[in-house]
Amino acid sequence: MAMLILAEAALAFAGLLDDALVYLVQSSGVLGHPVRRRVMSLLVDREIATREELVAALSDDETLSEREVERLETMLHHDHLPRLEEELLVEYDDRNGDVVLRTDPAEARELLESTPKN
């Protein structure tokens, strides 16, 4: 009987943690930025990518200059990917540029859909 109560309590606690994570991500605005939203959208489809692949996908607009593409890569490396990693949404290896989706793709898609765009 005690084991059943402990198991139910553990499941309830896990549910609360999931709800808390969703609240923190939404309230922090990490997914409010269009670049971070696009990165997450790309990773929902691929689950793993390199920083260079993300830059190529994000800069597929031929109107971007080489300097703007370089700036985008710098912003991904120093700002956007570390913020997503802080929120436990991705794992980012800044040495080799690998980016891995940490959460289930369906959960990440739901999070994107439920987070207001800024």
Side-chain angles (χ1 to χ4, degrees), residues 29-50:
V30 72
L31 292 178
H33 195 283
V35 171
R36 292 190 288 269
R37 290 184 69 81
R38 182 74 173 116
V39 166
M40 286 300 293
S41 294
L42 291 166
L43 288 173
V44 162
D45 295 334
R46 302 177 185 190
E47 294 186 42
I48 187 168
T50 65

Side-chain angles (χ1 to χ4, degrees), residues 67-84:
R67 183 176 179 160
E68 290 169 318
V69 172
E70 289 173 3
R71 184 172 185 271
L72 175 60
E73 183 168 8
T74 300
M75 292 301 293
L76 279 176
H77 177 68
H78 291 289
D79 183 30
H80 300 302
L81 294 174
R83 284 183 192 227
L84 290 170

Side-chain angles (χ1 to χ4, degrees), residues 39 43 47-54 73 76-77 81-82 85 90-102:
V39 166
L43 288 173
E47 294 186 42
I48 187 168
T50 65
R51 185 179 59 243
E52 291 79 17
E53 290 170 337
L54 292 173
E73 183 168 8
L76 279 176
H77 177 68
L81 294 174
E85 185 172 46
V90 303
E91 286 182 36
Y92 173 52
D93 185 338
D94 62 354
R95 294 166 294 169
N96 65 15
D98 289 342
V99 185
V100 179
L101 186 65
R102 283 188 79 168

